[in-house]
Amino acid sequence: MNQNKKLLIIGFVWPEPNSSAAGGRMMQLISIFKENGFDITFASPALDSDFMVDLSKFRVEKKSIELNNSNFDDFIIELNPDVVLFDRFMIEEQFGWRVAENCPKAVRLLDTEDLHCLRTARQKAFKENRSFELIDLLSEEVAKREIASILRCDLSYIISEFEMKVLKDVFKIDSGLLQYLPFLVEEMSEEDLLKLPSFEDRQYFVFIGNFLHEPNWNTVQYLKESIWPLIKKQFPEAVLEVYGAYPSQKVLQLHQPKNGFFIMGRAEDANEIVKKARVVLAPIRFGAGLKGKLLEAMQCGTASVTTTIGSEAMHASLPWNGFVTDDVEEFAKNAISLYHDKNLWEQAQKKGIAIVNECYQKEKYSERLITEVNSLLNDSESHRLHNFMGSLLQHHTLKSTKYMAKWIEAKNKNL
């Protein structure tokens, strides 16, 4: 790989790996491209945050950009990247046409994070108290935008095998436009378990998740109202610690020490918190993608109890590192069993290691990622020729999104 290949990442937000799984995934992608000789510039229209990673420590150049501003055109022409990676479809909508117009030869990649249309449709079905059906996706407004974005890009990274299936079966997306790319972590051994706190050295149940993410807030509500009372009834000394970045006032109001329910706020080091906990509780009722909190539990040797949505596409056909159930009574019973039964807990711990090693090996996926990017760099014209729908959408985007952006820019100048 030539040392001068240039990658521009356009981020929806600045990476916060200690705040969300999305931030962790972005740093994994940066790591892979860096290891393969890419010079990386990370640009974002987001405001700086107190918890954003210092990109300079990873030899990544940071650049603030603006929405609906032709200054971006000058910036990208000067940078002239070989590859552009869009962080979520909303960013591709805003900047994709500018990239295509000013750097037409640049390979365009999309990291979907998760399928937003799937998460939105499931949330809507949940709130309307009805079962979610895959056909619901076809009438979802955000699906039209998200699928158009996928079609316009040369390759999209899809984090979940279930979402790969949805894109191929429901939306009929050509598999040549998609690459399965789960979370990527290092291999673990049973010796690694010996370095972790033992069953006896751990205490408490724990939940951890970014509260800007609606499924996390809903999960904590569900824990507080439906599951925790059942656990406390059978296990009066039980304590649950709830951690998460950006807790709102309504989250903080759930803090009830007398009932063993503690809202702890942001975790300085989520890994350390989970390592010291005995069981992770994650009764997730809607969402998409993969759940970083549950992979983190496995890496920390911590057993977990979750739902079918929580475990979806996370463990292939391997047994879960704890229990998966959608029944409230079962959930509470399983949580208590794991907490008290050392043998059961240690079996769950080993199952977690097996899942990490089978499903999330960095080496297994990173080589293919770079191979695919190099293939596109060598012959993007042929690839695009076979993506007629993508070129059609690019054509119409250049006639609609482009002029809407130009109108906003002109309007802003007159203010």
Side-chain angles (χ1 to χ4, degrees):
M1 172 59 64
N2 294 331
Q3 290 300 306
N4 62 348
K5 292 290 182 193
K6 286 190 276 190
L7 167 67
L8 169 64
I9 301 174
I10 309 180
F12 181 67
V13 293
W14 302 107
E16 290 187 25
N18 291 330
S19 299
S20 70
R25 175 175 175 80
M26 180 52 71
M27 296 312 295
Q28 290 165 9
L29 289 172
I30 286 172
S31 165
I32 291 168
F33 280 105
K34 264 292 169 194
E35 287 165 11
N36 285 276
F38 279 80
D39 292 331
I40 304 177
T41 301
F42 194 105
S44 178
L47 295 173
D48 286 7
S49 80
D50 293 338
F51 304 102
M52 61 192 275
V53 77
D54 182 356
L55 289 166
S56 66
K57 289 183 178 176
F58 299 88
R59 295 178 294 116
V60 173
E61 187 179 333
K62 177 179 179 287
K63 171 73 176 177
S64 290
I65 53 177
E66 291 181 30
L67 299 171
N68 306 307
N69 191 320
S70 56
N71 286 345
F72 178 84
D73 302 347
D74 301 329
F75 156 68
I76 198 169
I77 288 168
E78 184 179 349
L79 182 66
N80 192 26
D82 300 285
V83 181
V84 178
L85 172 63
F86 302 103
D87 170 27
R88 287 167 259 208
F89 81 89
M90 303 83 83
I91 285 295
E92 188 280 333
E93 280 184 332
Q94 289 288 340
F95 295 99
W97 67 269
R98 292 187 184 275
V99 172
E101 195 168 71
N102 294 295
C103 291
K105 291 185 178 178
V107 170
R108 298 187 295 272
L109 307 175
L110 173 65
D111 186 31
T112 56
E113 295 288 358
D114 62 28
L115 274 187
H116 291 64
C117 60
L118 179 61
R119 174 156 35 100
T120 303
R122 279 176 166 166
Q123 184 172 335
K124 194 177 288 184
F126 171 79
K127 291 193 171 176
E128 292 171 4
N129 199 24
R130 58 178 173 80
S131 296
F132 164 75
E133 305 288 344
L134 284 174
I135 199 168
D136 295 346
L137 293 168
L138 297 175
S139 57
E140 196 59 53
E141 186 64 32
V142 73
K144 299 176 178 71
R145 295 170 54 198
E146 192 165 23
I147 298 306
S149 183
I150 288 170
L151 287 168
R152 283 192 297 266
C153 289
D154 296 313
L155 190 66
S156 292
Y157 297 135
I158 310 301
I159 202 167
S160 154
E161 287 185 311
F162 177 74
E163 292 180 2
M164 287 285 284
K165 185 171 169 51
V166 166
L167 288 167
K168 292 174 185 176
D169 295 353
V170 179
F171 294 109
K172 313 301 181 189
I173 303 291
D174 189 309
S175 59
L177 297 176
L178 308 173
Q179 186 169 359
Y180 172 55
L181 193 69
F183 293 124
L184 306 174
V185 299
E186 301 297 336
E187 188 173 2
M188 293 184 73
S189 66
E190 293 213 4
E191 286 74 49
D192 291 323
L193 287 181
L194 301 175
K195 300 171 190 171
L196 296 168
S198 66
F199 177 83
E200 291 82 6
D201 291 336
R202 296 170 180 247
Q203 60 179 348
Y204 307 151
F205 294 100
V206 73
F207 171 85
I208 194 159
N210 187 322
F211 286 107
L212 295 179
H213 192 54
E214 177 69 20
N216 286 334
W217 159 237
N218 181 269
T219 297
V220 173
Q221 276 184 303
Y222 188 37
L223 274 168
K224 181 71 164 59
E225 294 165 9
S226 303
I227 293 170
W228 194 242
L230 294 174
I231 291 175
K232 284 296 277 186
K233 186 176 178 182
Q234 299 168 65
F235 178 19
E237 299 82 27
V239 170
L240 171 63
E241 293 186 337
V242 175
Y243 290 87
Y246 305 107
S248 64
Q249 196 55 43
K250 61 185 181 181
V251 174
L252 297 173
Q253 284 173 354
L254 297 181
H255 185 63
Q256 198 174 38
K258 286 182 181 176
N259 198 32
F261 200 96
F262 292 82
I263 304 294
M264 309 297 288
R266 174 183 289 274
E268 284 299 315
D269 186 336
N271 219 257
E272 284 304 309
I273 299 294
V274 179
K275 278 180 188 174
K276 291 172 183 173
R278 197 174 283 181
V279 181
V280 165
L281 303 181
I284 299 161
R285 293 191 284 185
F286 54 83
L290 300 180
K291 313 304 177 286
K293 61 177 70 60
L294 293 172
L295 175 58
E296 183 175 50
M298 295 176 206
Q299 290 178 286
C300 292
T302 310
S304 66
V305 188
T306 189
T307 55
T308 50
I309 289 284
S311 68
E312 179 182 86
M314 284 206 66
H315 58 120
S317 57
L318 296 172
W320 191 251
N321 72 316
F323 293 97
V324 176
T325 178
D326 295 321
D327 181 81
V328 181
E329 300 273 353
E330 281 287 317
F331 196 102
K333 186 179 83 174
N334 292 336
I336 294 167
S337 295
L338 273 176
Y339 197 95
H340 288 303
D341 188 332
K342 180 179 178 180
N343 185 47
L344 184 67
W345 185 88
E346 287 180 341
Q347 286 175 11
Q349 196 180 53
K350 288 177 182 174
K351 289 173 184 174
I353 300 298
I355 293 169
V356 168
N357 291 340
E358 175 66 27
C359 303
Y360 301 100
Q361 275 315 290
K362 183 180 174 183
E363 280 186 27
K364 183 176 173 181
Y365 296 100
S366 57
E367 189 177 330
R368 185 174 167 230
L369 182 155
I370 294 300
T371 300
E372 290 289 327
V373 169
N374 285 335
S375 175
L376 287 168
L377 283 167
N378 291 332
D379 193 9
S380 61
E381 281 188 28
S382 173
H383 180 82
R384 289 172 182 174
L385 189 63
H386 290 89
N387 180 18
F388 180 76
M389 290 305 292
S391 61
L392 181 73
L393 286 164
Q394 195 68 258
H395 171 79
H396 281 291
T397 299
L398 291 171
K399 296 291 187 287
S400 54
T401 315
K402 171 181 174 179
Y403 291 107
M404 173 59 78
K406 286 185 173 292
W407 178 79
I408 292 170
E409 183 179 1
K411 185 167 174 277
N412 288 343
K413 285 178 180 174
N414 292 327
L415 289 177

